Amino acid sequence: MKKIKNTCLLTLCLFTCIQFTAVAAPLVNSEAFHEGYLLSGVSNVGYWEDPTVSQMGYSYFMANARADYAAISNANIGFIKASSESEAAVRFYANWFNYDWYGSMDAYMLDGTKDHTLTQKWYKCHVIMNDKTMTQEGWTNSEKHKTALHELGHVLSLKPPGPGGYEDQL
């Protein structure tokens, strides 16, 4: 009986003294990507920036996010400025939304409906930065840059990375 008590006490001590952290397996190869993707591919993605992007101070972050992805060796990712919104596969916006999110990527199918499941072929994507939430929470330039990287990553079909994800790797 004493041996059982000691074993139970030792087990209890070990469980209370050791911190457990759950770590998700890294997303690699096909697991890192949504099924949906841009019909135009990612090597020469036409993009357009709404005037709200520069008016709210996000041009710098969007340009750096595009440059960061384009600089990945052997990935063949590139962006070309489109002459108009209608010619762009990726459209960047910024606004002051009464929502609690920081950025968003909306993918649209050929019929104009949103692909909420990110499993279809997209003809355009909207990347939207929510200035209200970032301003109210006092976000740093680094955090805004990571948000731009994160949302642009969705355009490239990347799944959300979790802590220490692709935003920290670029």
Side-chain angles (χ1 to χ4, degrees):
M1 182 71 162
K2 187 175 181 179
K3 190 174 183 178
I4 293 173
K5 278 185 178 179
N6 287 342
T7 303
C8 289
L9 184 59
L10 179 61
T11 303
L12 180 62
C13 287
L14 286 174
F15 278 116
T16 57
C17 295
I18 298 173
Q19 291 184 341
F20 290 96
T21 53
V23 179
L27 296 174
V28 295
N29 300 326
S30 64
E31 292 299 315
F33 295 92
H34 289 290
E35 292 176 38
Y37 60 91
L38 273 173
L39 286 170
S40 65
V42 297
S43 62
N44 289 306
V45 180
Y47 75 90
W48 176 84
E49 282 189 6
D50 186 74
T52 57
V53 174
S54 62
Q55 291 165 359
M56 299 186 125
Y58 288 93
S59 290
Y60 172 81
F61 305 110
M62 293 302 181
N64 282 340
R66 288 190 301 269
D68 287 344
Y69 279 113
I72 298 172
S73 61
N74 300 319
N76 198 22
I77 298 171
F79 299 91
I80 299 170
K81 188 169 186 164
S83 58
S84 69
E85 180 179 18
S86 62
E87 293 178 10
V90 180
R91 298 141 191 212
F92 297 98
Y93 303 91
N95 215 320
W96 188 270
F97 294 104
N98 286 318
Y99 303 111
D100 62 354
W101 48 265
Y102 308 103
S104 176
M105 189 284 290
D106 296 327
Y108 294 88
M109 298 177 284
L110 284 170
D111 65 2
T113 59
K114 279 187 188 180
D115 178 12
H116 295 286
T117 61
L118 302 180
T119 59
Q120 304 300 313
K121 296 174 184 171
W122 316 320
Y123 87 98
K124 71 176 180 177
C125 296
H126 291 177
V127 173
I128 307 161
M129 303 296 277
N130 187 0
D131 191 51
K132 180 180 181 188
T133 305
M134 288 190 259
T135 299
Q136 288 180 339
E137 294 190 15
W139 275 39
T140 65
N141 286 346
S142 176
E143 290 168 317
K144 291 176 182 179
H145 179 233
K146 286 181 180 183
T147 302
L149 282 170
H150 179 95
E151 298 310 331
L152 194 52
H154 289 310
V155 169
L156 301 174
S157 298
L158 290 171
K159 289 181 179 176
Y166 54 78
E167 303 98 341
D168 292 330
Q169 304 303 314
L170 295 172

mmCIF file of all heavy atoms in Angstrom, residues 5 22 41 53 57 76 80 100 103-104 107 109 114 120 127 138 140 145 154 159 162-163 165 168:
data_model
loop_
_atom_site.group_PDB
_atom_site.id
_atom_site.type_symbol
_atom_site.label_atom_id
_atom_site.label_comp_id
_atom_site.label_asym_id
_atom_site.label_seq_id
_atom_site.Cartn_x
_atom_site.Cartn_y
_atom_site.Cartn_z
ATOM 1 N N LYS A 5 0.977 4.441 -2.694
ATOM 2 C CA LYS A 5 0.872 5.845 -2.294
ATOM 3 C C LYS A 5 2.068 6.639 -2.812
ATOM 4 O O LYS A 5 1.915 7.740 -3.328
ATOM 5 C CB LYS A 5 0.798 5.972 -0.759
ATOM 6 C CG LYS A 5 -0.536 5.750 -0.173
ATOM 7 C CD LYS A 5 -0.471 6.036 1.325
ATOM 8 C CE LYS A 5 -1.801 5.884 1.969
ATOM 9 N NZ LYS A 5 -1.738 6.126 3.412
ATOM 10 N N ALA A 22 1.500 22.093 -25.962
ATOM 11 C CA ALA A 22 1.105 21.395 -27.182
ATOM 12 C C ALA A 22 1.767 22.088 -28.363
ATOM 13 O O ALA A 22 1.699 23.297 -28.499
ATOM 14 C CB ALA A 22 -0.408 21.425 -27.334
ATOM 15 N N GLY A 41 -1.794 31.944 -61.392
ATOM 16 C CA GLY A 41 -0.514 31.457 -60.889
ATOM 17 C C GLY A 41 0.118 32.510 -59.988
ATOM 18 O O GLY A 41 -0.504 33.518 -59.666
ATOM 19 N N VAL A 53 -4.872 52.454 -49.279
ATOM 20 C CA VAL A 53 -3.653 51.809 -48.794
ATOM 21 C C VAL A 53 -2.589 52.864 -48.488
ATOM 22 O O VAL A 53 -1.990 52.861 -47.407
ATOM 23 C CB VAL A 53 -3.138 50.757 -49.805
ATOM 24 C CG1 VAL A 53 -1.806 50.184 -49.371
ATOM 25 C CG2 VAL A 53 -4.166 49.651 -49.980
ATOM 26 N N GLY A 57 -1.362 54.657 -44.782
ATOM 27 C CA GLY A 57 0.024 54.331 -44.454
ATOM 28 C C GLY A 57 0.422 52.876 -44.596
ATOM 29 O O GLY A 57 1.371 52.425 -43.941
ATOM 30 N N ASN A 76 9.727 31.186 -57.563
ATOM 31 C CA ASN A 76 9.117 31.774 -58.760
ATOM 32 C C ASN A 76 7.852 32.555 -58.422
ATOM 33 O O ASN A 76 6.802 32.367 -59.047
ATOM 34 C CB ASN A 76 8.839 30.702 -59.814
ATOM 35 C CG ASN A 76 8.631 31.300 -61.196
ATOM 36 O OD1 ASN A 76 9.081 32.416 -61.461
ATOM 37 N ND2 ASN A 76 7.960 30.574 -62.058
ATOM 38 N N ILE A 80 3.421 42.135 -60.430
ATOM 39 C CA ILE A 80 3.498 43.190 -61.430
ATOM 40 C C ILE A 80 2.338 44.144 -61.193
ATOM 41 O O ILE A 80 1.174 43.703 -61.081
ATOM 42 C CB ILE A 80 3.398 42.606 -62.860
ATOM 43 C CG1 ILE A 80 4.547 41.644 -63.119
ATOM 44 C CG2 ILE A 80 3.377 43.717 -63.896
ATOM 45 C CD1 ILE A 80 4.386 40.850 -64.406
ATOM 46 N N ASP A 100 -12.985 43.095 -35.099
ATOM 47 C CA ASP A 100 -11.815 42.830 -34.262
ATOM 48 C C ASP A 100 -10.705 42.083 -34.993
ATOM 49 O O ASP A 100 -9.843 41.501 -34.378
ATOM 50 C CB ASP A 100 -12.226 42.078 -32.992
ATOM 51 C CG ASP A 100 -12.844 40.725 -33.283
ATOM 52 O OD1 ASP A 100 -13.058 40.397 -34.462
ATOM 53 O OD2 ASP A 100 -13.113 39.993 -32.320
ATOM 54 N N GLY A 103 -6.354 41.885 -40.449
ATOM 55 C CA GLY A 103 -6.276 41.818 -41.896
ATOM 56 C C GLY A 103 -7.156 40.693 -42.386
ATOM 57 O O GLY A 103 -7.555 39.816 -41.622
ATOM 58 N N SER A 104 -7.442 40.729 -43.670
ATOM 59 C CA SER A 104 -8.314 39.714 -44.241
ATOM 60 C C SER A 104 -7.918 39.469 -45.691
ATOM 61 O O SER A 104 -7.440 40.372 -46.376
ATOM 62 C CB SER A 104 -9.767 40.194 -44.179
ATOM 63 O OG SER A 104 -10.634 39.281 -44.802
ATOM 64 N N ALA A 107 -11.115 35.579 -51.218
ATOM 65 C CA ALA A 107 -10.894 34.985 -52.537
ATOM 66 C C ALA A 107 -12.224 34.900 -53.270
ATOM 67 O O ALA A 107 -13.249 34.556 -52.678
ATOM 68 C CB ALA A 107 -10.287 33.592 -52.382
ATOM 69 N N MET A 109 -14.336 33.505 -56.792
ATOM 70 C CA MET A 109 -14.372 32.565 -57.915
ATOM 71 C C MET A 109 -14.814 33.300 -59.178
ATOM 72 O O MET A 109 -15.208 34.471 -59.127
ATOM 73 C CB MET A 109 -15.318 31.414 -57.584
ATOM 74 C CG MET A 109 -14.843 30.610 -56.365
ATOM 75 S SD MET A 109 -15.974 29.300 -55.900
ATOM 76 C CE MET A 109 -17.276 30.216 -55.086
ATOM 77 N N LYS A 114 -17.668 34.664 -53.167
ATOM 78 C CA LYS A 114 -16.515 34.404 -52.299
ATOM 79 C C LYS A 114 -16.320 32.906 -52.105
ATOM 80 O O LYS A 114 -17.287 32.165 -51.975
ATOM 81 C CB LYS A 114 -16.709 35.036 -50.921
ATOM 82 C CG LYS A 114 -16.408 36.488 -50.853
ATOM 83 C CD LYS A 114 -16.473 36.957 -49.401
ATOM 84 C CE LYS A 114 -16.369 38.447 -49.304
ATOM 85 N NZ LYS A 114 -16.438 38.903 -47.900
ATOM 86 N N GLN A 120 -11.453 26.430 -53.977
ATOM 87 C CA GLN A 120 -11.765 26.585 -55.400
ATOM 88 C C GLN A 120 -10.639 27.313 -56.137
ATOM 89 O O GLN A 120 -9.649 27.725 -55.546
ATOM 90 C CB GLN A 120 -13.071 27.368 -55.552
ATOM 91 C CG GLN A 120 -14.244 26.756 -54.809
ATOM 92 C CD GLN A 120 -14.572 25.359 -55.281
ATOM 93 O OE1 GLN A 120 -14.657 25.092 -56.474
ATOM 94 N NE2 GLN A 120 -14.741 24.440 -54.338
ATOM 95 N N VAL A 127 -7.008 41.761 -50.453
ATOM 96 C CA VAL A 127 -6.274 41.791 -49.194
ATOM 97 C C VAL A 127 -6.650 43.108 -48.515
ATOM 98 O O VAL A 127 -6.491 44.181 -49.099
ATOM 99 C CB VAL A 127 -4.748 41.722 -49.423
ATOM 100 C CG1 VAL A 127 -3.999 41.931 -48.115
ATOM 101 C CG2 VAL A 127 -4.378 40.390 -50.055
ATOM 102 N N GLY A 138 -2.333 49.698 -30.795
ATOM 103 C CA GLY A 138 -0.969 50.221 -30.791
ATOM 104 C C GLY A 138 0.047 49.333 -31.488
ATOM 105 O O GLY A 138 1.171 49.177 -31.016
ATOM 106 N N THR A 140 2.899 47.825 -33.725
ATOM 107 C CA THR A 140 4.180 48.331 -34.220
ATOM 108 C C THR A 140 4.266 48.117 -35.733
ATOM 109 O O THR A 140 3.475 47.378 -36.318
ATOM 110 C CB THR A 140 5.350 47.576 -33.560
ATOM 111 O OG1 THR A 140 5.293 46.194 -33.980
ATOM 112 C CG2 THR A 140 5.293 47.670 -32.038
ATOM 113 N N HIS A 145 3.739 44.731 -40.629
ATOM 114 C CA HIS A 145 4.437 44.023 -41.706
ATOM 115 C C HIS A 145 4.085 42.536 -41.674
ATOM 116 O O HIS A 145 3.803 41.918 -42.706
ATOM 117 C CB HIS A 145 5.950 44.227 -41.574
ATOM 118 C CG HIS A 145 6.741 43.527 -42.624
ATOM 119 N ND1 HIS A 145 7.773 42.687 -42.315
ATOM 120 C CD2 HIS A 145 6.642 43.509 -43.980
ATOM 121 C CE1 HIS A 145 8.287 42.191 -43.434
ATOM 122 N NE2 HIS A 145 7.612 42.673 -44.449
ATOM 123 N N HIS A 154 -1.908 34.036 -47.679
ATOM 124 C CA HIS A 154 -3.167 33.390 -48.056
ATOM 125 C C HIS A 154 -3.416 33.508 -49.556
ATOM 126 O O HIS A 154 -3.925 32.576 -50.178
ATOM 127 C CB HIS A 154 -4.342 33.988 -47.288
ATOM 128 C CG HIS A 154 -4.350 33.633 -45.840
ATOM 129 N ND1 HIS A 154 -4.206 32.351 -45.374
ATOM 130 C CD2 HIS A 154 -4.493 34.412 -44.738
ATOM 131 C CE1 HIS A 154 -4.264 32.342 -44.051
ATOM 132 N NE2 HIS A 154 -4.430 33.590 -43.644
ATOM 133 N N LYS A 159 -1.732 28.128 -45.778
ATOM 134 C CA LYS A 159 -2.624 28.008 -44.628
ATOM 135 C C LYS A 159 -2.070 28.868 -43.486
ATOM 136 O O LYS A 159 -0.884 29.190 -43.460
ATOM 137 C CB LYS A 159 -2.712 26.558 -44.171
ATOM 138 C CG LYS A 159 -3.470 25.670 -45.121
ATOM 139 C CD LYS A 159 -3.537 24.253 -44.587
ATOM 140 C CE LYS A 159 -4.312 23.345 -45.507
ATOM 141 N NZ LYS A 159 -4.312 21.949 -45.040
ATOM 142 N N GLY A 162 0.277 29.582 -37.567
ATOM 143 C CA GLY A 162 0.386 29.456 -36.121
ATOM 144 C C GLY A 162 1.622 30.185 -35.622
ATOM 145 O O GLY A 162 2.322 30.829 -36.387
ATOM 146 N N PRO A 163 1.905 30.117 -34.323
ATOM 147 C CA PRO A 163 3.046 30.834 -33.747
ATOM 148 C C PRO A 163 4.377 30.430 -34.407
ATOM 149 O O PRO A 163 4.587 29.251 -34.688
ATOM 150 C CB PRO A 163 3.035 30.427 -32.275
ATOM 151 C CG PRO A 163 1.661 29.915 -32.021
ATOM 152 C CD PRO A 163 1.161 29.370 -33.322
ATOM 153 N N GLY A 165 5.302 31.094 -37.385
ATOM 154 C CA GLY A 165 5.040 30.643 -38.738
ATOM 155 C C GLY A 165 5.804 31.394 -39.804
ATOM 156 O O GLY A 165 6.837 31.992 -39.547
ATOM 157 N N ASP A 168 7.483 34.891 -39.576
ATOM 158 C CA ASP A 168 8.749 35.017 -38.856
ATOM 159 C C ASP A 168 9.918 34.442 -39.638
ATOM 160 O O ASP A 168 11.069 34.667 -39.287
ATOM 161 C CB ASP A 168 8.662 34.302 -37.499
ATOM 162 C CG ASP A 168 7.687 35.015 -36.550
ATOM 163 O OD1 ASP A 168 7.544 36.251 -36.671
ATOM 164 O OD2 ASP A 168 7.067 34.324 -35.729
#
